[in-house]
Amino acid sequence: MDFFFAQRLILPASILCLILFTSPLFASETNLTTTKPSAYEVLEGYKFPVGLLPQGVRDYDLDPTTGKFAAYLGGSCSFSLEGSYQLRYKSIINGYISQGKLASLEGVSVKLFFLWVDIVEVQRNRDSLGFSVGIAGADFPLDNFEECPQCGCGLNCNDGKLEEVRTNPLVSSY
């Protein structure tokens, strides 16, 4: 009788061991396949360069059906480019993204003369990006945005010099 009782326990015990030992494997495979792309990879998927966002984006939300997004930085961020363009990012950046266009943008501003104005739209036009502050805008070559600026010092933080940003000298109104 003990022999039959032992055989009845071996099958359920072996199934239980199989489940316990293989479940971490399934869990790790599941985590690898469900990891969402970074905010920078999402930008590239919509035909934008990664340098539109500063380093340090911690997370983001994106509704792919509407394009509504929010990107979360660790805090507010500001830096200068070319010594004349000062940019400021709030800790949360919102808007709508579609192929080659960021619209209804909130949380990014540029200092023009003595005023901070919000950048409300970014549009890719072949090899340039057009930035709109509402009634005016400016175009910049796409390759200016190949790397992400760093909060505090911008693009070239290693040697203390700011990297030059090429601009289109014409500022247009929309």
Side-chain angles (χ1 to χ4, degrees):
M1 190 111 144
D2 290 327
F3 175 74
F4 291 114
F5 182 71
Q7 275 189 325
R8 291 163 99 188
L9 283 179
I10 289 174
L11 183 61
S14 59
I15 291 173
L16 180 62
C17 286
L18 182 65
I19 291 171
L20 289 176
F21 287 121
T22 58
S23 63
L25 294 173
F26 286 115
S28 64
E29 286 179 19
T30 302
N31 289 339
L32 290 175
T33 59
T34 60
T35 301
K36 71 180 184 179
S38 72
Y40 308 102
E41 292 168 327
V42 171
L43 276 177
E44 290 178 317
Y46 283 95
K47 306 296 183 211
F48 285 107
V50 296
L52 280 181
L53 289 172
Q55 293 178 16
V57 173
R58 292 187 173 176
D59 197 12
Y60 68 92
D61 293 317
L62 173 63
D63 180 345
T65 58
T66 64
K68 184 167 178 58
F69 75 89
Y72 306 101
L73 299 171
S76 62
C77 173
S78 61
F79 51 88
S80 292
L81 296 174
E82 196 183 307
S84 62
Y85 290 100
Q86 293 181 346
L87 294 169
R88 184 169 54 194
Y89 290 76
K90 292 183 178 178
S91 60
I92 301 174
I93 303 158
N94 297 300
Y96 290 86
I97 191 168
S98 59
Q99 288 296 315
K101 185 174 183 179
L102 292 168
S104 303
L105 195 57
E106 296 175 354
V108 183
S109 55
V110 61
K111 190 172 186 180
L112 298 176
F113 303 109
F114 301 108
L115 298 172
W116 284 97
V117 292
D118 293 330
I119 297 173
V120 295
E121 186 174 288
V122 180
Q123 197 159 10
R124 180 170 178 171
N125 303 313
R126 293 188 184 104
D127 292 334
S128 67
L129 291 177
F131 292 82
S132 172
V133 293
I135 59 170
D139 289 338
F140 297 87
L142 196 62
D143 61 359
N144 281 346
F145 302 93
E146 290 175 347
E147 69 177 274
C148 299
Q150 185 175 331
C151 296
C153 56
L155 291 174
N156 196 356
C157 299
N158 292 333
D159 60 9
K161 296 178 183 174
L162 296 175
E163 187 172 297
E164 183 176 323
V165 174
R166 293 176 294 142
T167 64
N168 183 343
L170 301 175
V171 173
S172 61
S173 61
Y174 291 107

